[in-house]
Amino acid sequence: MKKNSAHYLSTALLGLVLASPSHGFAQGQDARVNEVALRAHLALLSSDLFEGRGTGQRGGDLSVAYLETQAAVLGLLPANGKSYKQAVSINGIKSLPQASSVNLHIAGKQLDWNFGNDWIWSAGDAVSTHQFDHELLFVGYGITAPEEQWDDFKGIDCKGKILVVMVNDPQPTAEQPERFGGKALTYYGRRSYKTEEALRRGAAGVLLIHTDASANVGWDVLKNGGVGEQFQLANKDSKGLAIQGWVTDAAATAMFAAAGLDLNKLRAAAESKDFKPVAINARLKGEAKSQVRQLEQFNIAGIVPGTDAQLKNELVIYSAHWDHLGKQEGTGDVIYNGAVDNGSGTAALLAMAKAAVMQPAKRSQLFLWVAAEEQGLLGSAWYAAHPLWALNKTAAALNLDTLNFVGRTRDISAFGAERSDLIIAVNKVALSMNMTVAPPRIDVAGGYFRSDHFSFAKAGVPAFSIGSGRDYINDPQASLEKARGYGKRYHQVTDEYDPAWDLSGMTEQAQFTLNLGQEIANAKAMPAWKENDAFSKVRK
């Protein structure tokens, strides 16, 4: 759908005027998030003019320029010396399946897998050409967890092998209802853990078996991301696998069957701690080619200095990722606008920053728009490794990702706050806003490990994402169905801004986040983590 450029340009100008510190609240009044400003930023950032805010694309560069300009207009101080920008060094890797010959060979026969329909792969080490003649090894869930007395590898040498792995983690049983977090997904179930463990064991690559239930996303979502350019941090000491990717359940089942194995029986065996790796009697052969480039993307960071002589040396972070999937090859609508994901969080932070400048807190506050979240939390991971403010002086990181576009709710989601003292402040702020905190839920999708707050949590900073409520005030059932319907637009070209959206709930969510941040920023002491053995394993 073609959008009116003049309309969005005028909207942007309106947003700039509304963002100006000379308009709005006087110093000392309540810091209120302005819904009109939030809508103006959201409408523009998710328009075709910004081309889906793609990493390494023109739309991403435009987004950075817009955010940098807005940070200055709002009155935020540069967080990186005299600059609002923090460079993030990234490698871009685009698989070239048409120029490659890599495929599966079983019993002397080639199993032709179609890139995109049967599997997707990329080089995990930013090397443009790889030659393969590697054995495939099925390692079940691919987990080593001493606290669970679990080892899927049983001493098998994985060096140089391609590991075929199930996603998720072992399911609870009647005898062990709480193993691996019960029905909740632990970090062991995440794709990033599987890759990390394969690297630790010297494997050449890893192929994850996809099912909708275990991956918690459909194949189309993975395909949309996988056929385009992939990105990874370009740390000088970083290492990567020669190949990493996903295989459809149907393709994997056929491969195992061609090798004389029953994948479903192996899956069942992998639910036991007695499972041992199984050689598939198949080899990955051929040449995989990729187009590799090095580039810089940018986090944008601006500060509201604290007012207390001592506490101003401590910090509260508000974060949101500015990127989406950008423009992709194809016909028809090729722009993945990312209005909800995460134009909403990006715009909300801009509106919040204006309010915070009008009413500083005792501790300093950092507004941080991070790059390349869609590529694996890269911008936030880079910040955590190269912080602009000492992490041991960072009280909390509050993240916004995919906000409420439906309407006001009586509740707010604070999943993950219970891991630290942050839950105390959450309950206090919710009470002050006549809201309730949504009850804890079973995190079957591993949502806590999939958004930018997790980069800070791994680095030891109490952190979580403030989520949308579900107890809608107006037309509750219809509103709930509308919110659930977003799943069909997630990572699709249909995630577009609608002027008819009721943004009162989004504004309230942003207001809650700002109020929570200022509660933390004005508290006597910084929050601390609660003891959690399973999670503490991935914290620095």
Side-chain angles (χ1 to χ4, degrees), residues 410 412 425-437 512:
R410 297 180 181 86
I412 195 78
V426 164
N427 287 325
K428 181 178 179 180
V429 171
L431 182 63
S432 72
M433 295 179 66
N434 295 316
M435 302 180 77
T436 61
V437 179
F512 178 90

Side-chain angles (χ1 to χ4, degrees), residues 426-490:
V426 164
N427 287 325
K428 181 178 179 180
V429 171
L431 182 63
S432 72
M433 295 179 66
N434 295 316
M435 302 180 77
T436 61
V437 179
R441 57 182 174 82
I442 298 174
D443 187 18
V444 295
Y448 188 77
F449 311 111
R450 296 172 59 181
S451 201
D452 284 306
H453 67 261
F454 185 56
S455 296
F456 297 100
K458 286 176 69 176
V461 177
F464 75 103
S465 290
I466 293 81
S468 304
R470 285 294 183 266
D471 184 8
Y472 291 95
I473 294 174
N474 296 321
D475 204 350
Q477 188 57 41
S479 295
L480 186 59
E481 290 302 317
K482 184 177 181 181
R484 288 173 174 168
Y486 173 70
K488 296 180 180 179
R489 305 200 307 276
Y490 174 68

Side-chain angles (χ1 to χ4, degrees), residues 71-90:
V73 171
L74 291 168
L76 297 175
L77 298 183
N80 191 15
K82 295 182 179 181
S83 177
Y84 295 99
K85 297 163 68 174
Q86 180 189 34
V88 180
S89 297
I90 289 177

Side-chain angles (χ1 to χ4, degrees), residues 290-367:
S290 305
Q291 178 179 303
V292 178
R293 62 171 175 148
Q294 294 183 334
L295 65 153
E296 281 188 334
Q297 295 293 274
F298 296 94
N299 296 332
I300 300 298
I303 289 177
V304 178
T307 59
D308 184 271
Q310 297 299 321
L311 296 182
K312 68 180 182 181
N313 297 315
E314 297 174 353
L315 186 75
V316 172
I317 294 176
Y318 308 93
S319 64
H321 73 90
W322 57 256
D323 66 302
H324 195 53
L325 303 182
K327 294 179 70 174
Q328 298 194 18
E329 298 174 3
T331 58
D333 190 350
V334 297
I335 297 178
Y336 289 73
N337 300 79
V340 176
D341 181 17
N342 187 34
S344 61
T346 303
L349 246 63
L350 286 168
M352 290 162 55
K354 175 196 171 185
V357 167
M358 296 298 101
Q359 185 177 310
K362 293 180 179 179
R363 288 182 175 84
S364 297
Q365 298 170 83
L366 177 70
F367 288 84

